[in-house]
Every structure is written in C-alpha cells, then in structure tokens.
Amino acid sequence: MACSVRRSFGQAAVLLAVVCLGFDLPAAESDVPRFLTGRQTSPGDGVHPPERWSATENIAWKTDIPGLGWSSPIVWKGRIYLTTCINTAPDRKPRKGLYLEDVDATKYPPETSTHSWKTLCLDLASGKVVWEQTASEGIPAKPHHIKNTLASETPTTDGERLYVLFGNLGLFCYSLDGRPLWNVPIPARNTRYGWGTAMSPVVFGDRVYYADDNEEKSSLVALDKRTGKEVWRVSRKEQTNYSTPYIWETPDRTELVISGINWVTSYDLSGKELWKIKGKSILSIPSPFAHDGLLYVTSGHVIWGKHRIYAIRPGAKGDISPPDDDNNEKPAATPQNPIDDKTLDPHIVWYRKIGPYHPTPLIVGDNLYMLFDRGILMCFDARTGKLVFNKQRLAKGNAFTSSPWTYGDKLFCLNEDGVTSVVQIGPKYKSLYTNALADDDMCMATPVIVGDRLLIRTSKRIYCVRQRAKGESTAEN
C-alpha cells in the first residue's frame, strides 16, 4: 500500500505521510522552529552541510531514538526537539514503498499494550539527550496505519515555549527546559480506514493553531499560547487529512491556509473563511507554501482522485475553484503547457493537472521541483507553470515520502531506504550521485538544515551530518 503518515500520512490503499511541505527560512537563520522550515539556504550562502555522506562518512554524531515517530526535528538555540511513542510490546514493522495491502487499519488486532508518548530534547553539538518528558501513558484509543506512527506530528516553538501535538490525545505545552506548562485534551476520533493522525500545529502571534480533520467531527482550533485556553473553534466540512496548516503573510493580511480533501480553505486569524478551492484528491498531504508573493497548494494521490497544483496571488475572496473541466480537457492542458483558461478567477495565476502524493514541492530560484513517491522528479517555472523538464527517474529507490531540500547548488531527495539522490540545480536534469545510510534505517521524516549541519531522522536514530576533521571519530549516543 502507499501509506506513510507528516510528515511529513503526512500523507485508499495508501499511506499517509506526514513528511512533506511549507515554511522555508533564509540561510542566515540557524533555528528551525516548525515543520518544513530548514529546507533550504539562501543563494550564495557558503555555509551549509557537506554534500556527501554515508552512515559513517561526515557524521558528527548519531543518537538512537527509542520507539517510533515520524515527527521531523525542530531546532532552537542549540537544542533539538522531537517526539516518539514507545510501545511496551513489539511494534508492527512498517513496510517500505507503495502497496495496496494492509489498507484498513481498523482490521488490525486492537492494541492491548501500554504506550508512552514522549518529547525528547537533544543537544545539537553532541546529540546527547538533555531532557525528556512523558505526555501520557496508556493503551492507544484508535488504530493507525502500519506506516504511520503515534508521534507523527512535528512540534513547533515560538522561542519561549514548545508546543507538542499528539493526535487523538492532546496538545502539550512545555518550557524549553522541559517543564510542563499546560495541556489540552483532544477527543479520540475515527480516521479514514483507521490510518491515524499527522497534522502538525503552528504558532503565530499569541495563538497556537491546530486542525483536527477526521471522519466524525473536524475542526480548526485557536488556543492562547500562554494558557492553552480556547480562543475560538470553527467546524470544518472535511474528512481525514494530513496537510499541516500554513500561515501566509501578505502585505494586506495574514491567512491560515489548510489543504483538504473537500476544499483548500483560507481563514483569517479569527477563524472566518476568506476563500476556498474545491479539493480534487482522495487524500491531502503536502502542505501549502509561499514564494515570491504567491501561494502554492497541491495534492494528488498516486492512484485515486484528481491531481492539482495551484499558484495563487493574494487577495482572493469566496469560491475561486476553476470550472469543472474533468470531462472537457482543453488542448493547453498538456505536460508542455500550463492551463490557459479565461474563465479562471483572476487570483489563480496558473494551475496544472498534476500534483504529488506525499512530498511538498520546493522552489529554488525560478524553478519549482516536484517530487513524486515513485522516484520521479519534474520541474516547472514557478511564476508561469511552464514545464522546465519532464519526468525524470531518480537513482536507487522508488519510495519517496520525505520532502526535498537544497543547499549549495544541489537538490537532495531522500527515499525510504535512507538513500539520498543528489541532483544538480538547473533547467536540465542532471543526476550526480547518491548518499546511503545504514541498511536498517527507514526514512519518512523530512531532514532539516541547521547552519553547517544536516539532521536526518530515521526509524531508529537521528544523524547529524557535518564535515568532520580528518581523523575525528563519530560520536554515538
């Protein structure tokens, strides 16, 4: 089955992966405060991690992480924060790749063993555990897909507090030195085929936001970040989703944009709906993201549903969905040309009938790189949607859940086997080489860049990739 739950679930005979899409920081920023930040450095920045590594080469340290979790690491002031869930009984071993078996997790034998939901803080310089906190212990209330985990949501921080979401359990707030400050329970609800949860929280201003999309009662919630008190809650006409919300700041307003199966919806910071686009995919996993004044939203299941990517300019209102052209393809709707439809809402700059399942696309310069789960890379002009290069097969592996990242003049794509394909940035596809981790590693979390370090989380450990001095040994924790 094609499943892997966010990020990353993040994101029908499929898997949900939670490792996928959105907020990118300039290279000068060494902190990585939320999901999908730390995916690229600024052009011309000479400080970045090495471009070659293995399980031993250019590894500053590696630390084993107990349990299972697909949350990406975040970093603040020399500290790494991530989550995991530890089962007192053996976990079902996740399978790599895309497949159609084991789709319905509600048919798994129910969990009967005690689990511990934990937050870990590691030292960036050494990889040593600084502190850990247990949010809860008990038997999981709901199942999850074999490739999802019970700790797939990535934490976030405002530089003062750490906000940790465990779906079907609660949102937990800690001080950065690990003191519990408050928590808000989240009712356990059914998800599609019991696949579980993976939508990460976001913090902005005085509030922390989270979306709880499920098969029973979906909602978007804003909490006071200092107290956990609910500020507002709006219902969402949505089903299970895995796309992390995105804060889109424009000169005129700030929006909270969420991709969904039924709709891509934008809200103002009071929860009022601003605009929406009709959803086309059976699952929504990649996160929205902005670049050079435009917002990009995309989703596309590998087998079912429609595939779309939209580039949207600020200021939209109401339903801006394109006309239903499912049975009326226009000649311009080809891989070589973006759709040119005079009936489009003026806020849609372009859209294409193609979109990735799990990975969130990445824009480098003028080029938008789109990575597909089966190891295919495409490139489009980010301003026009014009095809730059068509489908190219990446080396070694056809299961890609993590979102791509970039530094120097290279694009990096990590597959589930722990093999990173390195591609030359530019208008023509050029595959360079691959970097492989240990054979027992499985990778679905999106790596992050922290100055001259690259952090890669796997199913068993976290690696710190950094240029080592000659003769320097790898620290193992």
Side-chain angles (χ1 to χ4, degrees), residues 222-289:
L223 304 176
D224 184 301
K225 70 175 186 179
R226 296 178 178 84
T227 65
K229 181 180 178 181
E230 186 173 305
V231 178
W232 52 258
R233 177 186 298 263
V234 295
S235 62
R236 284 172 47 78
K237 295 180 180 179
E238 279 294 339
Q239 299 163 275
T240 305
N241 287 304
Y242 298 95
S243 177
T244 292
Y246 180 72
I247 297 288
W248 186 25
E249 295 183 81
T250 72
D252 295 328
R253 65 191 186 191
T254 299
E255 307 178 23
L256 183 62
V257 186
I258 310 176
S259 290
I261 294 172
N262 297 320
W263 298 93
V264 176
T265 309
S266 172
Y267 303 86
D268 69 15
L269 298 188
S270 67
K272 178 183 177 182
E273 183 180 298
L274 297 172
W275 55 265
K276 61 184 180 180
I277 289 180
K278 183 66 177 175
K280 293 288 184 179
S281 180
I282 193 172
L283 281 179
S284 184
I285 297 173
S287 289
F289 63 99

XYZ file of all heavy atoms in Angstrom, residues 222-289:
559
model
N -8.051 27.538 17.713
C -7.043 28.508 18.126
C -7.008 28.555 19.644
O -8.049 28.699 20.295
C -7.365 29.891 17.565
N -5.810 28.420 20.210
C -5.623 28.456 21.661
C -4.716 29.625 22.036
O -3.834 30.016 21.262
C -4.985 27.158 22.160
C -5.672 25.831 21.827
C -4.824 24.678 22.341
C -7.070 25.775 22.405
N -4.926 30.161 23.231
C -3.982 31.128 23.786
C -2.677 30.385 24.070
O -2.663 29.401 24.822
C -4.545 31.737 25.076
C -3.654 32.814 25.655
O -2.482 32.521 25.965
O -4.136 33.943 25.829
N -1.582 30.828 23.482
C -0.343 30.063 23.579
C 0.234 30.057 24.993
O 1.042 29.187 25.327
C 0.691 30.596 22.593
C 1.262 31.963 22.925
C 2.356 32.350 21.945
C 3.047 33.652 22.354
N 4.127 34.010 21.404
N -0.158 31.007 25.819
C 0.391 31.085 27.170
C -0.363 30.211 28.170
O 0.214 29.715 29.131
C 0.394 32.531 27.654
C 1.306 33.448 26.849
C 1.248 34.888 27.340
N 2.152 35.744 26.583
C 1.846 36.309 25.418
N 0.644 36.111 24.899
N 2.728 37.073 24.784
N -1.666 30.046 27.932
C -2.501 29.341 28.907
C -3.141 28.068 28.377
O -3.588 27.236 29.157
C -3.622 30.269 29.395
O -4.500 30.560 28.287
C -3.057 31.570 29.952
N -3.247 27.932 27.059
C -3.964 26.803 26.474
C -5.461 27.023 26.402
O -6.197 26.157 25.918
N -5.943 28.181 26.850
C -7.372 28.467 26.807
C -7.838 28.599 25.365
O -7.194 29.251 24.545
C -7.675 29.752 27.574
C -9.157 30.114 27.602
C -9.408 31.396 28.389
C -10.890 31.767 28.369
N -11.147 33.022 29.108
N -8.987 27.980 25.063
C -9.519 28.040 23.709
C -10.010 29.455 23.390
O -10.804 30.035 24.121
C -10.656 27.038 23.548
C -11.171 26.937 22.114
C -12.172 25.814 21.935
O -11.833 24.649 22.273
O -13.299 26.103 21.480
N -9.509 30.003 22.292
C -9.909 31.336 21.833
C -11.086 31.235 20.874
O -12.060 31.978 20.975
C -8.730 32.062 21.161
C -9.154 33.440 20.646
C -7.553 32.187 22.128
N -10.998 30.321 19.920
C -12.131 30.041 19.035
C -11.960 28.656 18.414
O -10.874 28.092 18.388
C -12.320 31.102 17.952
C -11.137 31.473 17.101
C -10.351 32.585 17.220
C -10.604 30.736 15.970
N -9.377 32.593 16.263
C -9.515 31.492 15.468
C -10.950 29.542 15.341
C -8.760 31.066 14.377
C -10.207 29.120 14.247
C -9.126 29.878 13.785
N -13.063 28.153 17.924
C -13.117 26.858 17.247
C -14.135 26.966 16.120
O -15.255 27.452 16.338
C -13.522 25.757 18.226
C -13.689 24.369 17.591
C -14.242 23.380 18.611
N -13.324 23.206 19.734
C -12.453 22.213 19.822
N -12.394 21.294 18.877
N -11.661 22.139 20.874
N -13.767 26.552 14.926
C -14.702 26.531 13.805
C -14.775 25.111 13.257
O -13.779 24.387 13.225
C -14.294 27.518 12.694
C -14.370 28.956 13.197
C -12.904 27.218 12.158
N -15.959 24.708 12.881
C -16.124 23.382 12.299
C -15.666 23.393 10.854
O -15.722 24.419 10.164
C -17.589 22.944 12.389
O -18.415 23.819 11.648
N -15.177 22.260 10.396
C -14.713 22.098 9.017
C -15.475 20.960 8.354
O -15.612 19.889 8.934
C -13.211 21.786 8.992
C -12.364 23.002 9.261
C -10.884 22.683 9.441
N -10.282 21.790 8.452
C -9.916 22.157 7.237
N -10.129 23.412 6.828
N -9.349 21.282 6.413
N -15.983 21.219 7.161
C -16.682 20.189 6.406
C -15.638 19.359 5.670
O -15.535 19.377 4.445
C -17.677 20.830 5.442
C -18.808 21.576 6.153
C -19.779 22.202 5.163
C -20.892 22.937 5.891
N -21.846 23.589 4.954
N -14.878 18.641 6.475
C -13.759 17.875 5.955
C -13.752 16.481 6.536
O -14.401 16.204 7.549
C -12.434 18.567 6.281
C -12.055 19.697 5.357
C -11.771 19.232 3.938
O -11.486 18.030 3.725
O -11.843 20.073 3.027
N -12.990 15.626 5.886
C -12.708 14.295 6.402
C -11.224 14.232 6.758
O -10.565 15.262 6.860
C -13.095 13.252 5.353
C -14.576 13.286 4.984
C -14.834 12.560 3.680
O -14.702 13.118 2.591
N -15.221 11.286 3.796
N -10.707 13.039 6.946
C -9.325 12.869 7.376
C -8.355 13.522 6.394
O -8.415 13.284 5.190
C -8.999 11.375 7.502
O -9.939 10.769 8.379
C -7.595 11.180 8.049
N -7.469 14.349 6.923
C -6.420 14.993 6.138
C -5.091 14.894 6.874
O -5.047 14.600 8.064
C -6.758 16.464 5.889
C -7.863 16.637 4.877
O -7.774 16.146 3.751
N -8.918 17.344 5.268
N -4.003 15.208 6.148
C -2.660 15.123 6.726
C -1.794 16.320 6.370
O -0.586 16.292 6.565
C -1.994 13.817 6.280
C -2.757 12.618 6.777
C -3.693 11.990 5.977
C -2.577 12.165 8.073
C -4.438 10.921 6.459
C -3.310 11.092 8.563
C -4.241 10.478 7.751
O -4.983 9.427 8.229
N -2.385 17.378 5.858
C -1.644 18.555 5.430
C -1.563 19.562 6.572
O -2.583 20.025 7.073
C -2.326 19.195 4.218
O -1.669 20.372 3.832
N -0.346 19.914 6.980
C -0.154 20.876 8.060
C -0.565 22.274 7.616
O -0.214 22.704 6.507
C 1.321 20.877 8.502
O 1.610 19.618 9.122
C 1.619 21.999 9.481
N -1.320 23.017 8.431
C -1.733 24.384 8.072
C -0.512 25.285 7.830
O 0.570 25.068 8.366
C -2.523 24.851 9.299
C -2.995 23.591 9.950
C -1.903 22.597 9.719
N -0.747 26.331 7.026
C 0.317 27.265 6.670
C -0.118 28.699 6.963
O -1.240 29.104 6.608
C 0.662 27.133 5.182
C 1.747 28.068 4.733
C 3.062 27.859 5.101
C 1.453 29.172 3.931
C 4.068 28.725 4.695
C 2.456 30.034 3.512
C 3.766 29.802 3.893
O 4.745 30.663 3.494
N 0.744 29.452 7.626
C 0.494 30.872 7.866
C 1.056 31.655 6.678
O 2.270 31.651 6.440
C 1.159 31.350 9.170
C 0.555 30.623 10.387
C 1.010 32.867 9.324
C -0.844 31.049 10.740
N 0.149 32.326 5.942
C 0.548 33.095 4.755
C 0.443 34.575 5.075
O -0.651 35.114 5.223
C -0.342 32.736 3.580
C 0.074 33.369 2.276
C 1.316 33.787 1.926
C -0.779 33.620 1.148
N 1.306 34.292 0.632
C 0.041 34.203 0.136
C -2.133 33.387 0.884
C -0.485 34.569 -1.112
C -2.634 33.765 -0.356
C -1.830 34.344 -1.344
N 1.585 35.231 5.196
C 1.625 36.656 5.466
C 1.800 37.428 4.159
O 2.752 37.207 3.418
C 2.777 36.987 6.416
C 2.641 36.382 7.806
C 3.778 36.798 8.715
O 3.720 37.919 9.268
O 4.725 36.006 8.848
N 0.873 38.334 3.867
C 0.940 39.186 2.689
C 0.887 40.644 3.154
O 0.590 40.915 4.318
C -0.231 38.892 1.731
O -1.453 39.390 2.297
C -0.368 37.389 1.470
N 1.151 41.593 2.267
C 1.098 43.000 2.687
C -0.258 43.427 3.240
O -0.320 44.340 4.082
C 1.430 43.752 1.396
C 2.271 42.798 0.607
C 1.680 41.450 0.900
N -1.339 42.794 2.797
C -2.676 43.238 3.195
C -3.276 42.458 4.354
O -4.112 42.975 5.090
C -3.627 43.168 1.996
C -3.238 44.141 0.902
O -2.709 45.222 1.239
O -3.433 43.805 -0.285
N -2.857 41.182 4.535
C -3.478 40.388 5.586
C -2.654 39.136 5.842
O -1.747 38.786 5.080
C -4.904 40.008 5.209
C -5.013 39.078 4.000
C -6.439 38.955 3.500
N -6.553 37.954 2.437
C -7.634 37.794 1.677
N -8.701 38.566 1.862
N -7.663 36.861 0.739
N -2.983 38.478 6.948
C -2.369 37.197 7.284
C -3.446 36.126 7.228
O -4.537 36.294 7.777
C -1.736 37.238 8.681
O -0.721 38.247 8.702
C -1.108 35.905 9.034
N -3.154 35.022 6.566
C -4.131 33.956 6.361
C -3.609 32.644 6.933
O -2.400 32.400 6.980
C -4.435 33.778 4.871
C -4.833 35.053 4.166
C -5.076 34.853 2.670
O -5.372 33.700 2.267
O -4.942 35.835 1.919
N -4.533 31.802 7.331
C -4.238 30.436 7.766
C -4.839 29.516 6.709
O -6.066 29.430 6.571
C -4.858 30.163 9.138
C -4.590 28.815 9.789
C -3.102 28.621 10.044
C -5.365 28.688 11.083
N -3.991 28.859 5.926
C -4.432 28.076 4.774
C -4.263 26.589 5.064
O -3.206 26.155 5.527
C -3.637 28.456 3.510
C -4.210 27.736 2.288
C -3.657 29.971 3.290
N -5.308 25.822 4.787
C -5.281 24.381 5.047
C -5.755 23.638 3.803
O -6.845 23.912 3.281
C -6.174 23.997 6.242
C -5.871 24.868 7.454
C -5.981 22.523 6.593
C -6.777 24.593 8.635
N -4.959 22.688 3.330
C -5.378 21.822 2.234
C -6.244 20.700 2.781
O -5.958 20.149 3.843
C -4.165 21.228 1.514
O -3.476 22.214 0.793
N -7.298 20.356 2.042
C -8.185 19.292 2.472
C -8.679 18.469 1.303
O -8.482 18.833 0.137
N -9.318 17.358 1.619
C -9.889 16.512 0.581
C -11.016 17.241 -0.146
O -11.105 17.218 -1.375
C -10.419 15.199 1.194
C -9.266 14.376 1.754
C -11.191 14.388 0.158
C -9.724 13.166 2.541
N -11.867 17.907 0.607
C -13.009 18.584 0.005
C -12.667 19.977 -0.505
O -13.129 20.373 -1.574
C -14.149 18.671 1.025
C -14.660 17.310 1.445
O -14.777 16.406 0.625
N -14.942 17.137 2.720
N -11.861 20.714 0.282
C -11.524 22.082 -0.082
C -10.122 22.434 0.403
O -9.680 21.948 1.439
C -12.492 23.090 0.551
C -13.917 22.954 0.133
C -14.889 22.223 0.768
C -14.536 23.544 -1.005
N -16.080 22.326 0.088
C -15.896 23.139 -1.003
C -14.100 24.393 -2.014
C -16.797 23.541 -1.981
C -14.996 24.799 -2.990
C -16.330 24.383 -2.982
N -9.443 23.284 -0.345
C -8.354 24.091 0.201
C -9.035 25.344 0.735
O -9.752 26.023 0.006
C -7.321 24.475 -0.870
C -6.269 25.408 -0.268
C -6.677 23.244 -1.465
N -8.848 25.639 2.018
C -9.576 26.746 2.649
C -8.609 27.701 3.323
O -7.675 27.287 3.997
C -10.570 26.213 3.701
O -11.375 25.182 3.125
C -11.479 27.330 4.198
N -8.883 29.004 3.122
C -8.118 30.047 3.794
C -9.012 30.733 4.820
O -10.163 31.080 4.530
C -7.602 31.070 2.781
O -7.023 32.176 3.453
N -8.460 30.932 6.021
C -9.165 31.603 7.113
C -8.382 32.843 7.538
O -7.141 32.870 7.431
C -9.290 30.681 8.326
C -9.965 29.366 8.076
C -9.238 28.265 7.606
C -11.327 29.192 8.329
C -9.856 27.043 7.388
C -11.943 27.967 8.129
C -11.210 26.899 7.651
O -11.823 25.678 7.449
N -9.097 33.840 8.060
C -8.370 34.904 8.740
C -8.072 34.441 10.157
O -8.450 33.333 10.563
C -9.116 36.243 8.687
C -10.403 36.269 9.522
O -10.612 35.367 10.374
O -11.204 37.198 9.328
N -7.384 35.270 10.936
C -6.930 34.817 12.245
C -8.025 34.837 13.307
O -7.766 34.556 14.475
C -5.728 35.643 12.695
C -4.497 35.520 11.789
C -3.298 36.219 12.411
C -4.164 34.057 11.484
N -9.263 35.132 12.896
C -10.408 34.983 13.790
C -11.239 33.758 13.433
O -12.277 33.503 14.045
C -11.292 36.238 13.743
O -11.912 36.371 12.466
N -10.777 32.995 12.416
C -11.484 31.789 12.015
C -12.513 32.001 10.924
O -13.212 31.065 10.531
N -12.597 33.207 10.371
C -13.550 33.493 9.299
C -12.973 33.019 7.967
O -11.811 33.277 7.642
C -13.843 34.990 9.237
C -14.788 35.385 8.111
C -14.982 36.898 8.061
C -15.872 37.301 6.892
N -16.027 38.781 6.818
N -13.815 32.348 7.180
C -13.366 31.857 5.886
C -13.171 33.018 4.912
O -14.022 33.891 4.777
C -14.392 30.876 5.328
C -13.993 30.240 4.010
C -15.039 29.279 3.486
O -15.309 28.274 4.178
O -15.603 29.551 2.409
N -12.018 33.006 4.209
C -11.708 34.041 3.234
C -11.951 33.561 1.812
O -12.614 34.232 1.023
C -10.246 34.485 3.394
C -9.879 35.144 4.731
C -8.373 35.347 4.835
C -10.613 36.469 4.876
N -11.384 32.405 1.457
C -11.568 31.856 0.125
C -11.360 30.345 0.182
O -10.859 29.822 1.167
C -10.619 32.489 -0.904
C -9.155 32.413 -0.566
C -8.409 33.370 0.061
C -8.253 31.314 -0.835
N -7.106 32.947 0.207
C -6.980 31.701 -0.338
C -8.392 30.073 -1.454
C -5.865 30.872 -0.433
C -7.285 29.239 -1.551
C -6.038 29.641 -1.043
N -11.734 29.681 -0.899
C -11.570 28.236 -0.948
C -11.487 27.772 -2.397
O -11.936 28.459 -3.316
C -12.713 27.524 -0.230
C -14.096 27.789 -0.825
C -15.176 27.108 0.017
C -16.570 27.379 -0.569
N -17.630 26.729 0.243
N -10.878 26.604 -2.572
C -10.802 25.927 -3.867
C -11.255 24.492 -3.668
O -10.848 23.830 -2.713
C -9.372 25.929 -4.435
C -8.971 27.337 -4.879
C -9.248 24.986 -5.621
C -7.571 27.409 -5.445
N -12.071 24.007 -4.568
C -12.583 22.645 -4.461
C -11.443 21.642 -4.493
O -10.556 21.695 -5.337
C -13.540 22.357 -5.623
C -14.188 20.979 -5.585
C -15.121 20.839 -4.395
C -15.818 19.477 -4.405
N -16.630 19.282 -3.185
N -11.431 20.706 -3.531
C -10.419 19.659 -3.486
C -10.624 18.644 -4.584
O -11.747 18.436 -5.059
N -9.538 17.988 -4.986
C -9.623 17.048 -6.096
C -9.038 15.677 -5.779
O -9.197 14.749 -6.545
C -8.891 17.624 -7.311
C -9.540 18.865 -7.917
C -10.827 18.519 -8.661
C -11.418 19.733 -9.346
N -12.646 19.397 -10.075
N -8.314 15.549 -4.653
C -7.626 14.300 -4.363
C -8.315 13.559 -3.233
O -8.969 14.164 -2.384
C -6.168 14.579 -3.983
O -5.493 13.374 -3.688
N -8.158 12.251 -3.205
C -8.764 11.453 -2.146
C -8.052 11.680 -0.812
O -8.611 11.445 0.252
C -8.740 9.957 -2.509
C -9.643 9.155 -1.561
C -7.335 9.406 -2.517
C -9.817 7.715 -1.957
N -6.814 12.145 -0.844
C -6.066 12.496 0.363
C -5.361 13.822 0.141
O -4.980 14.143 -0.978
C -5.024 11.433 0.697
C -5.506 10.164 1.377
C -4.331 9.223 1.594
C -6.175 10.452 2.696
N -5.180 14.569 1.215
C -4.421 15.810 1.134
C -3.275 15.729 2.129
O -3.506 15.642 3.329
C -5.317 17.014 1.438
O -4.602 18.207 1.261
N -2.046 15.750 1.613
C -0.871 15.562 2.463
C 0.133 16.710 2.332
O 0.529 17.289 3.331
C -0.200 14.204 2.173
C -1.163 13.064 2.515
C 1.087 14.058 2.973
C -0.668 11.689 2.107
N 0.605 17.076 1.124
C 1.559 18.185 1.041
C 0.983 19.465 1.649
O -0.211 19.739 1.541
C 1.774 18.349 -0.474
C 1.438 17.017 -1.050
C 0.316 16.503 -0.204
N 1.832 20.256 2.271
C 1.392 21.492 2.910
C 1.478 22.664 1.938
O 2.370 22.704 1.087
C 2.248 21.796 4.143
O 1.968 20.884 5.174
N 0.596 23.655 2.081
C 0.736 24.890 1.294
C 2.049 25.577 1.639
O 2.597 25.403 2.730
C -0.468 25.732 1.736
C -1.428 24.761 2.357
C -0.584 23.684 2.967
N 2.556 26.402 0.724
C 3.765 27.183 0.991
C 3.764 28.400 0.078
O 3.069 28.427 -0.945
C 5.036 26.354 0.789
C 5.253 25.871 -0.625
C 6.105 26.544 -1.482
C 4.605 24.731 -1.092
C 6.307 26.103 -2.783
C 4.796 24.285 -2.394
C 5.650 24.978 -3.251
